[in-house]
Amino acid sequence: MFQHQYAMVLDLNKCLGCQTCTMACKKLWTDGDGMDYMYWNNVETRPGQGYPRKWDQIGGGFENGKLRPSEIPSREDYGQPFQYNYEERMFQGGLQVMPHEPVENTPNWDEDVGALMLGENYYFYLPRLCNHCTNPACLAACPRNAIYKREEDGIVLIDQERCEGYRYCMRACPYKKIYFNELLGKAQKCIFCYPRLEKGEVNACARQCPGRLRFVGLLDDPGSAVHKLVHVYKVALGLFPEKGTEPNVFYVPPFNPPRRGNYGKSILDDPRMPLDYLVYLFGEQVTDVIRRLEAELKKAQDGAPSEVLQLLIGRDEEVRYQIPKRESLVQITNAQIQPLRRA
Amino acid sequence: MKSRRDILKLAGAAAMAASVPGCRKTEKPLLESFSTATLDPLHSYPYRSWEDLYRKQWTWDKVVRSTHSANCTGSCSWRVYVREGVMVREEQAADYPKINATLPDYNPRGCQKGACFVEYVYGPQRLKSPLIRVGARGEGKWRKASWDEALTLIADKLLDNIYNYGPDTNAFFSVIPAMSPVSFCAGSRLAHYIGGVFCSFYDWYCDLPPGEPLTWGVQTEACETADWFNSRYIVLWGSNISQTRIPDAHFAYEARYNGAKLVCISPDFNSSAVHADLFLQINPGTDAALALAVAKHIIDSKLYDEPYIKEQTDLPLLVVKETGRFLRPEGVADVFYYRDAKSGQVKEAPGSMGSKTKSISLGGDDPDLHARFTHNGKEVVTVFELLKEKLAPYTIEAVAAQTGLAENDIRLFAQEFGTRRPAMIIHGAGTNHWFHNDLINRAFILLVALTGNVGRNGGGFNHYVGQERIWPERGFRAYAFPEGPKKQRFQNTTLWTYVHSSNKDPHLYNGKPIEHYIEESIKNGWMPLYPKNRKQKPRAMIIWRANYLNQAKGNEYILNSLWKDLDLIVDINFRMDTTALHSDVVLPAATYYEKIDLNTTDCHSYIHPFSKVLDPLYDSKTDWEIFKELSAKISQRATERDLKPYRDEQFGWERDFTRTYFQWSGQGKFKSDEDAANFILANSPETKGMQYGMLQQGPRRFVATDEEAWTSDIKPGQAYTPFQHQVERKKPWRTLTGRQQFYIDHPWFLELGEQLPIYRQPLAESAKYPFFWNTPHGRWSIHSTWRDSRYQLRLQRGIPIVYMHPDDAKERGIRDNDWVKVFNDHGHLVTKVQILPGEKRRRLTMYHGWERYLGFLQGGWQAPTYVKIKPTQLVGGYGHVNFRLNYWGPTGNNRDIRVDIAKYTPTAAEMKVILRSRDRKGAEKA
């Protein structure tokens, strides 16, 4: 049985939509051959089509304990990794620099779009990565048993030696966070930066996040910020809990400001962003979380500090990340759970 | 030479050779000696040795700390990772020391653009050797040249111009010393010694908030962004911090968790508005009306800070009703009066420019804000009372109609602004880029002054556009213009561009064309214009660290006039940008990762340097090295051509060009760029005791401030905020009255009715064009840098985008991703449209900086714009209001432009451009 579980909490009320996480991940892990179209970490505007397009509507995950596989998204759904004719234009007297084909879709196609309700716009940014689920559908679906959950930290990996590229995992994942490298014939996905964590360095997407909205640690470490946000303050929720995979990436749900003329009213009273949409993404609990967060915000703005908001301020890396030393994780297999030592 | 991509290929290939014999599944690997049926990978997995694959990918041979200088105000500390001699990636160093335990720290500073700068180091846009144009300008046809040939060509031309037409026909353009002062100064020193014209940038790019020099007598003073956290009320006004202050935005959102309320005022529901407590979707260009309604509410409800405004502002000063001029003594200028309420006597206000008292302390007086009486036969009244009269029309009801806002929202906003302290306005280009930006600034500053928020932590009017402020200023000035500013030709670029191009402003101001005011201003000696001989025209332009042409308002006019008049255009650059493409000689510069320099910003109080991660690649050289060699070449050519010294009459300066290099090098003192950096550090109080070498380890906080340059001390454990010298120590403000001055009694201000802040509508140049043309700064580029970055473009739509509201699109039969033409009488552009529900109706937005050569089928983003100058920004000879480079001069505003839009069908020739490279997929993989 895996003994510990890494988790990440993302506070959507701090997200800038700047894609520094996306770029950090791209440059570190997916800049090689066959990977141009893949972004293990992406940020999408919600409501919106998402990346890959309509990933949230096509299926995956479990239903009554059984896998509910979907179609595999098409290359078009992921967006085009186009090239340009720079040299021709700049150094050879050629025509305008253009993508090598007309662009019809990209991973961030509907950036900042969102939707209109009663004439007013609403949206928020949703950064996404592999959820390193407690009950991973990808793992259950792999006929080759090449996907596993690391016992020491719960990170879900696709064995790049044993993967045969059958792509059952891609059908099974409800979040569509597994990608196929056509050149190598392998399924690939977010590895939760295990090489970094093993050396006490937090994930690139978190460490490079200028919005400072990511919290990383072991969910079962009572001293970790992620534990407190998920289990103590209960302000962070997983995406699509009904899909049955028990994701370990959690989100502090987003607010939007009140509608025109509503300043002074509760955001639950005639909200700019329909609550139904948040319930769709995060489940029924979201209403209660929003209500409590709003009360905390009001408390803080009236001059009384809020404990949970003080934690979400995340003043420095020590507040946001609790990365244990690797030895304390590896040794647990032959002993009872030791108090964790921090890196 | 190995590229980044090669390195990654190697890593990938090695890994796969081990894992997949024969690569694809033609040859299956032998089944391991286990039965997969017994494997339970949810709980335990035996085959984990492959995990080293990714562990190896996160390795490097060398890591070097450096930064970028793209004029973004970031000043972010980065580590660059090198593997097998190639820069592979970068990551924020996150090494800024904490200011104190309560304030959130500055880490990690950086954004997605800094996270992929290595693309430019090895990318196809990189300039690798000197180039001399062989085709038409802008065609992109070149021949490679040696450094010697290119520099000889330039040196001869500059010298020819000096002797034939005058030294003021040679123009130099480079922006923002703060982001890399050594590179900036290398060229400014050369301009200095050969008598060239040094052109401004901060006013030209309209990032200068003219209300600050007018009201405060400063260029721009803002708190460092950690101070946002100290606020209880933050108003994002024309500033979309989520996109344009990416490394700083967290302070605002964290301040909200600490009890601040966050208000966002913008015509569009932007990326910062989503996180606000109150969003005011204001009609474009009506911001001053809203501010004045808030000011009226604050005054009517007596929410103002009375002791503060009596001491710190000109509101109690007396004005002669008939003339509109301040009450002044006969014959003696620059002394002003208030009426002391205690004694009932008219008293001299202390601390003005003409006052003998060098303090604004009232010494027990109680200036009467409401005085209105007859003094020596003249009716006099306070500025405060005049202000109240001016504010009368700005009722909440009237302003709600003008701004399109709800009365309830305005009322609560005004009440909260008046009661929650400290309160600050975070100000940006969204409101600063309007024609009437001076009035807009002054109205905003009025709010924070009335409420006593200026000079206090967590308060103030904090303007952030452009990294205009260099902290080690004294050392910088001494290195940049060694003989002093009086011996340098400085030029406001807005005026220079307007006069030397076919731009023509059709508006009349008080019945007169702008040319009338321009000529008056030049005649009065208020604004300089070069060449001084009006029969001459600019002949040569040297551009470095900038993209003048692409970013210029009035693009189409400039291309057809100024650009044709120039005989020599030299661009020094690491990449082929639009200006480089339209130049005659292109000199390849080192990138940010191949040079030595310094870096500071007004967003934080630390200094840190550039480091050479690798020596300059290809045949490139650092800017410093290039100007060093150009100076040497000028001296060599002057000697070879036996040129006699040139008598520069303007300064009485015998310029002996055989000695230019000797002078440039400080008589041999500056042997390297590091010497220059150390000189700047050693000669500035801010960086006393610091040396380049020690800074390489990481950012250091400034140790002191130069009293002449700054308005507050830098204090350990406290975030920097300006004007504490004035508010705490009672040092006079740097204005005519020695106070925050809202009343400007310059004759032109009186003539145009702008002695006090008022609201003026945007210029309505033509009713036939219904859309405002809005070109804000955005997240995907820093001006034009990264606009052509493939990593960035793949996360957008690949080419420039015009955003429009769905209802406007519907009316015109335009659908998402259609080709569209945006046009007015000045120019047009053709590109694609995106339907954006958060966009304001009757406005089109295109984020600024797109390179003309990428994606547009026709024109460019500046094609519909033109240069227009506001008369009040041409003034001088008034106390604190005098021309100074990048401090005071007309701004190159661009928000009042209107356009129309129509669906566009590409021609057959254009379809070829769109489709032609389809067959060459991947041909140019970088």
Side-chain angles (χ1 to χ4, degrees), chain A residues 11 15 31 83-84 86 90 96-97 106 125 145 148-150 152 159 162 164 182 194 196 198 207-208 212 261 263 310 315-316, chain B residues 4 24-25 36 45 48 51 55 91-92 98 102 105 107 257-258 271 275 409 416 779 788 790-791 796 798 852-853 855-856 916:
Chain A
D11 180 355
C15 184
D31 214 10
Q83 303 291 341
Y84 290 91
Y86 301 104
M90 293 171 176
Q96 198 72 338
V97 177
T106 66
Y125 300 112
N145 275 340
Y148 60 99
K149 199 161 171 66
R150 304 213 307 183
E152 71 272 26
D159 184 332
R162 296 191 56 250
E164 286 287 323
E182 284 182 0
Y194 71 81
R196 296 173 63 109
E198 287 169 0
R207 185 160 191 285
Q208 296 194 235
R212 302 152 45 110
Y263 192 40
Q310 286 294 315
R315 284 180 166 75
D316 55 32
Chain B
R4 246 194 97 256
R24 289 294 288 246
K25 287 184 292 283
T36 52
Y45 190 75
R48 292 182 48 182
E51 286 179 12
R55 291 191 185 104
E91 181 168 328
Q92 293 101 314
K98 266 189 181 177
T102 320
D105 69 14
N107 302 312
Y257 287 162
N258 203 42
S271 322
H275 296 319
D409 292 348
E416 286 183 340
R779 63 163 68 89
D788 56 341
R790 201 186 42 167
Y791 284 92
Q796 305 166 61
R852 276 182 76 101
Y853 56 68
F856 293 106
R916 90 213 118 100

XYZ file of all heavy atoms in Angstrom, chain A residues 11 15 31 83-84 86 90 96-97 106 125 145 148-150 152 159 162 164 182 194 196 198 207-208 212 261 263 310 315-316, chain B residues 4 24-25 36 45 48 51 55 91-92 98 102 105 107 257-258 271 275 409 416 779 788 790-791 796 798 852-853 855-856 916:
579
model
N -4.724 27.836 -5.463
C -5.700 28.853 -5.075
C -6.084 29.666 -6.315
O -5.327 30.519 -6.771
C -5.094 29.759 -3.998
C -6.066 30.844 -3.562
O -7.161 30.948 -4.153
O -5.717 31.600 -2.627
N -4.599 33.103 -9.207
C -4.028 32.757 -10.518
C -4.118 33.940 -11.470
O -5.150 34.577 -11.617
C -4.743 31.560 -11.122
S -3.998 31.039 -12.683
N 10.003 19.390 -24.118
C 10.597 20.131 -25.222
C 11.313 19.205 -26.201
O 12.001 19.647 -27.096
C 11.587 21.158 -24.654
C 11.617 22.424 -25.500
O 10.766 22.557 -26.379
O 12.506 23.251 -25.269
N 4.913 25.872 -37.005
C 6.255 26.430 -37.224
C 6.125 27.725 -38.030
O 5.065 28.015 -38.581
C 7.124 25.440 -38.014
C 7.260 24.078 -37.383
C 8.080 24.106 -36.107
O 8.824 25.035 -35.850
N 7.921 23.068 -35.290
N 7.219 28.462 -38.102
C 7.218 29.735 -38.841
C 8.378 29.803 -39.830
O 9.410 29.154 -39.643
C 7.346 30.923 -37.874
C 6.132 31.171 -37.030
C 6.006 30.565 -35.783
C 5.118 32.013 -37.466
C 4.891 30.801 -34.990
C 4.005 32.260 -36.678
C 3.891 31.648 -35.444
O 2.801 31.883 -34.661
N 10.590 32.249 -40.351
C 11.313 33.476 -39.984
C 12.441 33.799 -40.952
O 12.594 34.923 -41.418
C 11.944 33.343 -38.595
C 11.015 33.069 -37.446
C 10.937 31.800 -36.885
C 10.248 34.086 -36.895
C 10.118 31.551 -35.795
C 9.428 33.843 -35.805
C 9.365 32.565 -35.263
O 8.566 32.325 -34.195
N 13.192 37.288 -42.993
C 14.163 38.211 -42.415
C 15.462 38.304 -43.189
O 16.119 39.328 -43.190
C 14.487 37.783 -40.986
C 13.301 37.941 -40.072
S 13.629 37.179 -38.483
C 12.146 37.639 -37.617
N 5.770 37.603 -45.710
C 5.388 37.717 -44.303
C 5.603 36.433 -43.485
O 5.362 35.329 -43.986
C 3.899 38.102 -44.304
C 3.374 38.667 -43.039
C 3.872 40.088 -42.773
O 4.900 40.524 -43.289
N 3.145 40.795 -41.961
N 6.026 36.612 -42.250
C 6.140 35.459 -41.349
C 4.730 34.982 -40.986
O 3.900 35.769 -40.535
C 6.902 35.825 -40.058
C 6.942 34.641 -39.096
C 8.313 36.300 -40.381
N -5.509 25.992 -30.678
C -4.287 25.906 -29.882
C -4.706 25.518 -28.462
O -5.897 25.566 -28.136
C -3.545 27.259 -29.827
O -4.353 28.201 -29.108
C -3.232 27.812 -31.202
N -9.289 31.318 -14.369
C -8.229 30.491 -14.942
C -8.118 29.189 -14.167
O -8.126 29.187 -12.935
C -6.885 31.220 -14.882
C -6.901 32.515 -15.651
C -6.805 33.729 -14.990
C -7.043 32.516 -17.032
C -6.826 34.926 -15.696
C -7.082 33.706 -17.739
C -6.969 34.909 -17.064
O -7.003 36.086 -17.766
N 0.052 -3.257 -17.386
C 0.468 -2.961 -16.008
C 1.730 -2.106 -15.971
O 2.618 -2.331 -15.153
C 0.698 -4.249 -15.219
C -0.591 -4.772 -14.615
O -1.553 -4.028 -14.462
N -0.616 -6.052 -14.298
N 1.993 2.791 -12.602
C 2.020 2.405 -11.187
C 1.995 3.633 -10.306
O 2.231 4.758 -10.757
C 3.250 1.552 -10.870
C 4.575 2.229 -11.131
C 5.296 2.812 -10.073
C 5.114 2.299 -12.414
C 6.520 3.422 -10.306
C 6.332 2.911 -12.644
C 7.037 3.480 -11.592
O 8.235 4.085 -11.822
N 1.707 3.392 -9.052
C 1.651 4.449 -8.062
C 2.803 4.219 -7.095
O 2.906 3.151 -6.491
C 0.306 4.372 -7.335
C -0.081 5.636 -6.632
C -1.580 5.669 -6.324
C -1.885 6.853 -5.418
N -1.671 8.156 -6.047
N 3.690 5.207 -6.993
C 4.868 5.004 -6.143
C 4.429 4.855 -4.698
O 3.693 5.698 -4.168
C 5.839 6.170 -6.275
C 6.264 6.421 -7.716
C 7.667 6.920 -7.851
N 7.964 8.097 -7.042
C 9.150 8.719 -7.089
N 10.111 8.286 -7.919
N 9.367 9.775 -6.341
N 6.054 5.190 -1.976
C 6.559 6.115 -0.960
C 5.904 7.493 -1.018
O 5.935 8.223 -0.034
C 8.080 6.267 -1.070
C 8.601 7.024 -2.274
C 8.822 6.156 -3.495
O 8.142 5.113 -3.599
O 9.661 6.503 -4.351
N 5.608 3.818 -16.863
C 6.931 3.221 -17.075
C 7.302 3.394 -18.552
O 6.691 2.783 -19.441
C 6.869 1.735 -16.693
C 8.236 1.063 -16.804
O 9.067 1.517 -17.622
O 8.442 0.074 -16.083
N 8.371 0.078 -20.222
C 7.413 -1.008 -20.425
C 6.147 -0.575 -21.168
O 5.387 -1.420 -21.643
C 7.065 -1.644 -19.080
C 8.291 -2.319 -18.434
C 7.947 -3.180 -17.236
N 6.959 -4.189 -17.587
C 5.699 -4.182 -17.172
N 5.285 -3.235 -16.369
N 4.868 -5.122 -17.551
N 3.702 0.210 -23.939
C 3.649 -0.280 -25.318
C 2.812 0.623 -26.206
O 2.581 0.309 -27.363
C 3.079 -1.698 -25.331
C 4.064 -2.742 -24.824
C 5.172 -3.008 -25.853
O 4.878 -3.005 -27.054
O 6.324 -3.194 -25.427
N 4.011 10.164 -30.545
C 3.934 9.336 -31.756
C 5.306 8.883 -32.219
O 5.450 7.820 -32.804
C 3.241 10.110 -32.874
C 1.751 10.173 -32.672
C 1.041 10.888 -33.793
O 1.712 11.351 -34.739
O -0.193 11.002 -33.706
N 9.089 14.316 -9.875
C 9.694 13.490 -8.827
C 11.204 13.655 -8.720
O 11.743 13.623 -7.612
C 9.288 12.020 -8.963
C 9.877 11.276 -10.137
C 11.172 10.755 -10.102
C 9.125 11.076 -11.290
C 11.706 10.080 -11.196
C 9.658 10.415 -12.381
C 10.944 9.908 -12.333
O 11.475 9.253 -13.407
N 12.859 16.292 -8.866
C 13.079 17.487 -8.045
C 12.686 17.210 -6.604
O 13.430 17.535 -5.673
C 12.269 18.668 -8.603
C 12.685 19.097 -9.997
C 11.729 20.160 -10.561
N 11.765 21.369 -9.767
C 12.303 22.529 -10.161
N 12.834 22.628 -11.367
N 12.299 23.582 -9.371
N 12.566 14.519 -5.030
C 13.525 13.610 -4.383
C 14.743 14.355 -3.836
O 15.412 13.896 -2.936
C 13.989 12.539 -5.380
C 12.922 11.498 -5.658
C 13.259 10.590 -6.838
O 14.342 10.777 -7.449
O 12.443 9.719 -7.153
N 7.321 26.078 -8.181
C 8.426 26.963 -7.820
C 8.504 28.169 -8.742
O 8.950 29.234 -8.355
C 9.756 26.223 -7.869
C 10.873 27.126 -7.373
C 12.096 26.374 -6.946
N 13.015 27.254 -6.255
C 13.779 28.155 -6.862
N 13.718 28.310 -8.173
N 14.591 28.916 -6.166
N 8.074 28.024 -9.980
C 8.179 29.131 -10.927
C 6.909 29.974 -10.987
O 6.839 30.925 -11.764
C 8.577 28.596 -12.301
C 9.962 27.955 -12.274
C 10.556 27.713 -13.658
O 10.929 26.600 -13.978
N 10.637 28.740 -14.483
N 2.112 32.646 -6.991
C 2.334 31.953 -5.714
C 1.065 31.280 -5.214
O 0.733 31.323 -4.037
C 2.855 32.956 -4.674
C 4.133 33.635 -5.110
C 4.363 35.022 -4.559
N 4.098 35.172 -3.146
C 5.031 35.368 -2.216
N 6.297 35.403 -2.555
N 4.702 35.556 -0.973
N -23.765 47.189 -10.185
C -24.789 47.725 -9.292
C -25.005 46.915 -8.029
O -25.792 47.279 -7.173
N -22.629 46.038 -5.762
C -21.558 46.130 -4.755
C -22.184 46.235 -3.364
O -23.134 46.989 -3.162
C -20.656 47.339 -5.029
C -19.378 47.334 -4.214
C -18.673 46.160 -4.002
C -18.879 48.507 -3.652
C -17.500 46.143 -3.273
C -17.698 48.517 -2.922
C -17.012 47.326 -2.726
O -15.851 47.317 -2.003
N -4.693 33.916 6.047
C -3.280 34.155 6.359
C -2.416 33.025 5.799
O -1.320 33.264 5.298
C -3.075 34.302 7.873
C -3.580 35.634 8.434
C -2.800 36.837 7.935
O -1.578 36.835 7.885
N -3.502 37.886 7.531
N 3.308 33.573 2.532
C 4.319 34.634 2.504
C 5.640 34.237 1.874
O 6.323 35.041 1.260
C 4.559 35.154 3.911
C 3.440 36.054 4.397
C 3.702 36.565 5.789
N 2.831 37.672 6.134
C 1.539 37.538 6.444
N 0.971 36.365 6.456
N 0.810 38.606 6.728
N 6.050 32.991 2.057
C 7.301 32.547 1.434
C 7.202 31.046 1.130
O 6.181 30.405 1.416
C 8.513 32.872 2.316
C 8.372 32.291 3.708
O 7.753 31.208 3.849
O 8.860 32.917 4.668
N 20.082 24.089 -28.708
C 19.332 23.572 -27.574
C 18.626 22.295 -27.946
O 18.591 21.340 -27.228
C 18.257 24.605 -27.238
C 18.429 25.257 -25.953
C 17.155 25.983 -25.599
N 16.399 25.108 -24.730
C 15.369 24.415 -25.083
N 14.917 24.491 -26.307
N 14.747 23.667 -24.225
N 9.853 1.916 -32.668
C 8.421 1.600 -32.665
C 8.240 0.111 -32.401
O 9.168 -0.657 -32.297
C 7.783 1.989 -34.009
C 7.673 3.498 -34.222
C 6.719 4.130 -33.236
N 5.335 3.766 -33.560
C 4.425 4.637 -33.959
N 4.715 5.897 -34.102
N 3.202 4.259 -34.219
N 6.981 -0.316 -32.328
C 6.722 -1.660 -31.819
C 6.927 -2.768 -32.858
O 6.347 -3.839 -32.758
C 5.299 -1.732 -31.284
C 5.157 -0.981 -29.978
C 3.781 -1.121 -29.383
C 2.707 -0.450 -30.170
N 2.654 1.005 -30.016
N 2.232 -10.633 -15.607
C 1.607 -9.339 -15.314
C 0.356 -9.524 -14.480
O -0.101 -8.602 -13.827
C 1.261 -8.591 -16.613
O 0.517 -9.464 -17.436
C 2.497 -8.092 -17.294
N 5.547 -1.848 -7.245
C 5.964 -1.996 -8.643
C 7.458 -2.282 -8.669
O 8.252 -1.490 -8.126
C 5.658 -0.698 -9.406
C 5.819 -0.808 -10.898
C 4.868 -1.473 -11.676
C 6.924 -0.228 -11.535
C 5.011 -1.538 -13.048
C 7.067 -0.309 -12.916
C 6.104 -0.959 -13.668
O 6.243 -1.040 -15.024
N 11.493 -0.237 -11.401
C 11.560 1.215 -11.336
C 12.894 1.824 -11.777
O 13.076 3.049 -11.682
C 11.192 1.697 -9.920
C 9.722 1.446 -9.621
C 9.309 1.941 -8.251
N 9.757 3.290 -7.974
C 9.541 3.916 -6.834
N 8.866 3.288 -5.864
N 9.982 5.131 -6.637
N 13.215 5.030 -13.963
C 12.941 6.378 -13.444
C 14.138 7.318 -13.604
O 13.978 8.538 -13.594
C 12.508 6.321 -11.966
C 11.100 5.796 -11.772
C 10.679 5.725 -10.296
O 11.385 6.284 -9.439
O 9.639 5.096 -10.018
N 15.276 11.613 -14.161
C 16.261 12.202 -13.239
C 17.416 12.810 -14.040
O 17.915 13.881 -13.720
C 16.794 11.143 -12.260
C 15.739 10.681 -11.272
C 16.299 9.841 -10.136
N 15.216 9.333 -9.305
C 14.778 8.074 -9.333
N 15.370 7.162 -10.094
N 13.760 7.708 -8.572
N 15.313 29.270 -14.804
C 14.359 29.177 -13.700
C 14.618 30.361 -12.773
O 15.777 30.753 -12.577
C 14.584 27.845 -12.966
C 13.647 27.611 -11.810
C 13.706 26.156 -11.286
O 13.953 25.219 -12.073
O 13.518 25.983 -10.068
N 13.559 30.912 -12.202
C 13.756 32.036 -11.290
C 14.693 31.636 -10.160
O 14.542 30.555 -9.593
C 12.427 32.501 -10.685
C 11.463 33.124 -11.662
C 10.387 32.139 -12.066
O 10.683 30.982 -12.373
N 9.148 32.576 -12.072
N 14.190 38.921 2.190
C 12.922 39.443 2.717
C 13.108 40.855 3.250
O 14.157 41.171 3.795
C 12.480 38.586 3.890
C 11.550 37.486 3.527
C 11.004 36.846 4.807
C 10.081 35.715 4.399
N 9.554 34.984 5.517
N 6.637 40.118 8.073
C 5.212 40.253 7.793
C 4.909 40.349 6.307
O 3.930 39.810 5.817
C 4.657 41.526 8.482
O 5.259 41.621 9.761
C 3.171 41.467 8.601
N 7.372 37.836 0.498
C 8.649 38.124 -0.163
C 8.458 38.287 -1.676
O 7.348 38.154 -2.190
C 9.708 37.083 0.198
C 9.419 35.709 -0.394
O 8.556 35.596 -1.290
O 10.060 34.744 0.038
N 9.748 36.517 -4.030
C 10.091 35.330 -4.806
C 8.863 34.527 -5.190
O 7.927 34.459 -4.407
C 11.038 34.469 -3.973
C 12.282 35.252 -3.604
O 12.896 35.880 -4.439
N 12.621 35.239 -2.315
N -6.291 39.230 1.035
C -6.447 38.246 2.110
C -6.055 38.841 3.460
O -6.413 38.321 4.496
C -5.574 37.019 1.838
C -6.074 36.117 0.736
C -5.222 35.196 0.125
C -7.401 36.158 0.314
C -5.672 34.356 -0.867
C -7.855 35.314 -0.687
C -6.987 34.415 -1.280
O -7.432 33.576 -2.263
N -5.281 39.915 3.392
C -4.825 40.556 4.629
C -5.775 41.681 5.041
O -5.482 42.417 5.971
C -3.404 41.104 4.420
C -2.661 41.269 5.725
O -2.738 40.405 6.605
N -1.949 42.374 5.881
N -8.074 40.360 -16.799
C -7.526 39.291 -15.969
C -7.315 39.693 -14.520
O -7.081 38.833 -13.683
C -6.179 38.836 -16.533
O -6.191 38.827 -17.909
N -10.417 39.086 -10.075
C -10.083 38.914 -8.660
C -10.497 40.101 -7.789
O -10.097 40.191 -6.637
C -8.573 38.715 -8.503
C -8.060 37.472 -9.150
N -8.731 36.264 -9.104
C -6.928 37.211 -9.856
C -8.038 35.349 -9.759
N -6.948 35.892 -10.226
N -22.723 51.705 -7.098
C -21.308 51.312 -7.090
C -20.410 52.531 -6.919
O -19.424 52.494 -6.191
C -20.952 50.575 -8.385
C -21.640 49.214 -8.487
O -22.202 48.768 -7.465
O -21.612 48.616 -9.575
N -15.916 54.472 0.387
C -14.804 53.635 0.856
C -13.462 54.313 0.605
O -12.563 54.242 1.434
C -14.846 52.264 0.162
C -15.961 51.387 0.694
C -15.985 49.989 0.086
O -15.392 49.790 -1.001
O -16.601 49.100 0.681
N 0.049 40.145 -21.654
C 0.900 39.175 -20.957
C 1.916 38.502 -21.873
O 2.900 37.965 -21.387
C 0.046 38.099 -20.286
C -0.775 37.243 -21.213
C -1.251 35.964 -20.534
N -2.220 36.181 -19.488
C -3.550 36.225 -19.672
N -4.066 36.085 -20.885
N -4.372 36.408 -18.666
N 7.400 37.557 -31.371
C 7.664 36.592 -32.429
C 8.179 35.284 -31.846
O 8.761 34.474 -32.556
C 8.684 37.173 -33.425
C 9.972 37.595 -32.730
O 9.952 37.785 -31.503
O 11.006 37.719 -33.414
N 8.039 31.657 -30.721
C 7.184 30.535 -31.055
C 6.562 29.904 -29.806
O 5.417 29.480 -29.814
C 8.028 29.514 -31.811
C 7.266 28.551 -32.648
C 8.219 27.529 -33.197
N 9.158 27.135 -32.152
C 9.959 26.077 -32.223
N 9.973 25.351 -33.309
N 10.762 25.770 -31.237
N 7.340 29.861 -28.733
C 6.802 29.287 -27.491
C 5.597 30.080 -27.001
O 4.655 29.514 -26.443
C 7.866 29.261 -26.391
C 8.886 28.179 -26.570
C 10.069 28.408 -27.250
C 8.652 26.909 -26.064
C 11.004 27.415 -27.410
C 9.585 25.892 -26.221
C 10.769 26.157 -26.895
O 11.687 25.166 -27.053
N -1.075 31.276 -27.998
C -2.074 32.269 -28.398
C -2.774 31.685 -29.631
O -3.145 30.532 -29.608
C -1.388 33.612 -28.690
C -0.552 34.111 -27.507
C 0.383 35.235 -27.909
O -0.029 36.284 -28.347
N 1.678 35.016 -27.752
N -1.274 32.267 -32.777
C -0.272 32.170 -33.838
C -0.022 33.444 -34.611
O 1.040 33.614 -35.190
N 5.545 44.071 -37.312
C 4.849 44.259 -38.592
C 5.030 43.071 -39.534
O 4.196 42.835 -40.404
C 5.361 45.528 -39.294
C 4.694 46.808 -38.843
C 5.222 48.006 -39.603
N 4.695 48.092 -40.959
C 3.700 48.907 -41.323
N 3.152 49.709 -40.441
N 3.273 48.932 -42.558
N 6.124 42.355 -39.334
C 6.416 41.277 -40.298
C 5.722 39.967 -39.971
O 5.840 38.999 -40.700
C 7.929 41.042 -40.420
C 8.648 40.744 -39.110
C 8.420 39.571 -38.410
C 9.568 41.644 -38.592
C 9.073 39.303 -37.222
C 10.227 41.399 -37.400
C 9.971 40.212 -36.720
O 10.604 39.961 -35.552
N 2.327 37.814 -39.294
C 0.896 37.551 -39.189
C -0.030 38.528 -39.876
O -1.067 38.139 -40.390
N 0.332 39.808 -39.906
C -0.537 40.779 -40.573
C -0.528 40.505 -42.078
O 0.541 40.328 -42.667
C -0.034 42.210 -40.370
C -0.125 42.707 -38.955
C 1.021 42.830 -38.174
C -1.349 43.066 -38.405
C 0.942 43.304 -36.874
C -1.439 43.543 -37.100
C -0.284 43.659 -36.326
N 1.172 29.048 -48.283
C 2.342 28.622 -49.056
C 3.281 27.712 -48.307
O 3.919 26.847 -48.879
C 3.095 29.835 -49.569
C 4.172 30.359 -48.632
C 4.294 31.826 -48.748
N 3.968 32.356 -47.438
C 4.885 32.728 -46.568
N 6.137 32.714 -46.896
N 4.557 33.122 -45.387
